[in-house]
Amino acid sequence: MSVVPSKLADRFAHVHDLVDLAETYAEDGAPVSATHNLVDAIKAIRAIIEPAPDQDRRPVTLEQLLATVEGARRTRELEEIAAVPWIAEVIGQHAPAIRALGEVAAQAEQQYRTALIEWMSRDWTCLCVVSCDEDPATACSLSGQEHVHPEIPGQPGVYGPCPLHPDAPGDR
């Protein structure tokens, strides 16, 4: 069994202290303070398992990496081990194909996040539907704001897109 470096042991002790303090706050009826301590504990844990990119680290040899993975397998599933960012990074250093897949995955994750942000920032207040002929003046009351679907010139009874929400379908 290897000896844990004192700096790492200190970091684990700090996490332990934060969790203990959070538990004390919770028992004393101070949930906000307890939550703040738990958030600090999460940050401390992330600092341990996700070292900062600018932090100098010695390269991990293949033998050390395999020993780390084998040791972790005693208490963790392979999926959990693979989810630790520094392990994936070190495996990528030893396996170019995995590094390339990691880059593709990072790009896909960025595209996914961009799509999520775009979806969340969309104007969801407009509830325009294909037919809103309940209102004789063709004003759409479904969005909570009155706005008109203009008639398309030369096509009587056919309406274009909403001028306030161009991605909404026109009235038909």
Side-chain angles (χ1 to χ4, degrees), residues 68-136:
T68 301
V69 170
E70 284 303 314
R73 287 183 75 173
R74 293 186 192 128
T75 57
R76 301 279 186 255
E77 295 292 324
L78 288 176
E79 290 81 8
E80 294 173 296
I81 299 168
V84 177
W86 76 264
I87 289 183
E89 180 185 321
V90 173
I91 290 173
Q93 292 171 359
H94 292 285
I98 291 179
R99 180 177 52 249
L101 285 173
E103 291 167 0
V104 169
Q107 184 180 21
E109 181 181 0
Q110 180 58 41
Q111 290 172 340
Y112 176 72
R113 286 184 187 185
T114 301
L116 284 176
I117 290 168
E118 182 179 317
W119 187 88
M120 289 185 291
S121 63
R122 183 175 170 195
D123 182 6
W124 289 101
T125 60
C126 179
L127 301 174
C128 296
V129 292
V130 176
S131 174
C132 53
D133 55 6
E134 307 89 33
D135 189 334

